[in-house]
Amino acid sequence: MPNIKSSKKRVRKARAKTAQNKSQRSELKTLVRNYNEALVSNSESKDELLKTAIKNLDKAASKKLIHKNKASRKKSQLMKAFNAAQVSE
């Protein structure tokens, strides 16, 4: 544990930011999971969930919450699954 006042503040800020980032990453994973579940169950709302998931992936990448290539890869996987579901219908 640091003794210097500014170091203590830095630790507090780092903890707060870590908690915020963890929460946002968790929300992102939940959105992707909800979309995948809707895709499997052939739900009506899968189009809207796809748009929401892609929008949030882009937002997370722009805020450097996740790497831009990871966001791109995830979007590609989601679209590939969506197109495969469209063909099978």
Side-chain angles (χ1 to χ4, degrees):
M1 189 67 191
N3 296 323
I4 299 167
K5 187 176 179 181
S6 62
S7 297
K8 290 178 183 178
K9 182 178 180 181
R10 202 168 42 242
V11 168
R12 284 195 311 270
K13 287 176 71 173
R15 281 188 187 144
K17 196 65 178 169
T18 300
Q20 184 179 10
N21 287 342
K22 188 173 183 179
S23 171
Q24 289 175 347
R25 274 193 220 103
S26 176
E27 184 181 350
L28 188 63
K29 289 177 187 177
T30 302
L31 288 169
V32 171
R33 188 177 66 242
N34 288 344
Y35 166 72
N36 286 329
E37 289 171 358
L39 195 62
V40 169
S41 66
N42 202 11
S43 175
E44 295 285 327
S45 63
K46 64 184 174 189
D47 297 333
E48 296 163 16
L49 289 171
L50 176 64
K51 288 178 187 175
T52 305
I54 288 176
K55 181 179 176 183
N56 282 294
L57 282 166
D58 284 335
K59 215 180 264 191
S62 71
K63 292 180 179 180
K64 298 193 169 108
L65 193 62
I66 59 174
H67 196 275
K68 64 178 183 171
N69 290 354
K70 180 175 182 174
S72 179
R73 187 173 63 243
K74 269 294 189 197
K75 291 189 312 186
S76 175
Q77 290 170 351
L78 295 177
M79 286 304 299
K80 188 174 179 182
F82 180 77
N83 290 334
Q86 294 288 70
V87 170
S88 67
E89 287 181 355

